[in-house]
Amino acid sequence: MNFIKKNVLLFLGVTTLFISCKDTPQKEEVSKVDPIINSVKEQYAPDKRVAMFDIETIKSNNGYVVKGSSNLPDAVADLKGKLKAENINFVDSIEILPSKKLEGKTQGIIAISAANLRGNPRHSAELVTQGTLGMPVNIFKKEGSWYLIQTPDKYIAWVDYGGVTPMDKEEFNTWKASDKIIFTATAGSSYAEANANSQVISDLVGGNILSLLDEKNDFYEVKYPDGRVAYLKKNEAKPYKEWINSLTHTKESLVETSKTLMGLPYLWGGTSPKGVDCSGFTKTVYFLNGMVIPRDASQQINEGILVDDTKDFSKLIPGDLLFFGKKATDSTKERVIHVGMWIGNNKFIHSAGSVHISSMDKNADNYDEYNLNRYLRTKRILNEDSKGLIYLDKKNIF
């Protein structure tokens, strides 16, 4: 019995040694693969909110299987070139998005007043942003009843089937070429007939865009991306081209728009008049004035020109964006946590709890000592030329 036990132990020891020796070169090769993937990702897709490069490796008998997906063909090509240069054997199993399974329906239009876009394809996942009716999107792939899409500000997120109408290139071009109407009231409804007492077709929020079919008395006849036909009150909407031509991009118009959203509830991920987070509020205000700005405060702070970083608020003009958070230290990076918009007279408007006005004046009833203490700097983006800013009167998005 002891003889058998000793031989079993000896066999296990030799086997363990053999496996360990065999594993060593695999670990060495993995250590070469991962840094290459990470370096390519850092170069092409440092911000996962706006670029996809989800690549991983799995050990195979003859080397590695490199798998995953990306919407960046140049990044994938660079990765494969670097792996080959290092003489690393691999099987290419990377899917370049958009997926071929979409059968050409790689574009789409948001089909409801405010579609909730989530971090993962399920309703319980984090709400990361919203898409408003009429917004054009790129569609990358589908999982179950969810679509992975990218908005005009490059944000990537998941939307369920009810929130978007997928289109092929011809359908999308037909939609884009049609005359449009923009809903200009903060909130309202569309109707089955040219009569406000008729059946409601859907709710609407400011900035919703539909295809314009005709006019009937005091109503516009419109069509939704999914084909529904409805009527809007003329005093709550404008032909899109007329609205574009009326844009002035002024500080006064920004302040006026911001105050129409007073009291709107704070909603993490919200970017519409149904609810907004801090950066969703500034994004919505600027959109309703014909500008598409980046989604998050940590992105918005990179646009425009620096106005102040010393709490000299005399330099500010209405429309400037104030950023708050934690300053960088020797061991930590700066964290941008909050953003608000200056409206003059030592006041700024922001979404925190709800949309409200706060003051930097220590003697004011609405003095905001908390945000003053975490103030970082102010940027001016209105009428500035910056990579992440889109002016709707200069670029035909809709």
Side-chain angles (χ1 to χ4, degrees), residues 15 103 115 123 137 160 371 377:
T15 304
E103 298 180 340
H123 286 291
V137 297
D160 75 356
N371 277 311
R377 55 190 173 277

Side-chain angles (χ1 to χ4, degrees), residues 68-71 93-101 140-141:
S69 59
S70 176
N71 68 320
S93 187
I94 300 173
E95 180 183 29
I96 301 294
L97 301 175
S99 171
K100 293 179 181 179
K101 294 178 181 179
F140 289 148
K141 63 180 179 179

Side-chain angles (χ1 to χ4, degrees), residues 149-166:
I149 65 171
Q150 186 172 40
T151 62
D153 58 8
K154 305 299 182 184
Y155 223 83
I156 297 173
W158 292 90
V159 62
D160 75 356
Y161 71 98
V164 65
T165 299

Side-chain angles (χ1 to χ4, degrees), residues 24 36 58 63 70 96 98 123 127 132 140-141 167 187 198 211 216 233 269 284 286 294 324 345 356 375:
T24 301
I36 293 173
I58 297 176
S70 176
I96 301 294
H123 286 291
L127 176 65
T132 51
F140 289 148
K141 63 180 179 179
M167 297 179 175
S198 63
S211 180
K216 187 173 182 180
K233 295 178 184 177
T284 298
Y286 269 85
F324 308 87
N345 298 319
H356 65 279
Y375 173 77

Side-chain angles (χ1 to χ4, degrees), residues 12-24:
L12 290 174
V14 171
T15 304
T16 302
L17 179 61
F18 176 75
I19 292 173
S20 298
C21 293
K22 190 177 180 182
D23 277 352
T24 301

Side-chain angles (χ1 to χ4, degrees), residues 141-153:
K141 63 180 179 179
K142 185 180 182 183
E143 284 190 19
S145 60
W146 291 80
Y147 291 93
L148 183 65
I149 65 171
Q150 186 172 40
T151 62
D153 58 8

Side-chain angles (χ1 to χ4, degrees), residues 71-127:
N71 68 320
L72 307 171
D74 290 345
V76 173
D78 193 14
L79 171 63
K80 290 189 285 188
K82 285 181 165 61
L83 292 175
K84 289 176 182 177
E86 293 291 331
N87 295 316
I88 297 173
N89 294 322
F90 68 93
V91 174
D92 177 11
S93 187
I94 300 173
E95 180 183 29
I96 301 294
L97 301 175
S99 171
K100 293 179 181 179
K101 294 178 181 179
L102 293 172
E103 298 180 340
K105 289 185 178 288
T106 59
Q107 293 172 291
I109 305 293
I110 297 298
I112 58 179
S113 63
N116 293 325
L117 310 187
R118 301 190 179 276
N120 288 296
R122 57 180 183 271
H123 286 291
S124 59
E126 178 188 14
L127 176 65

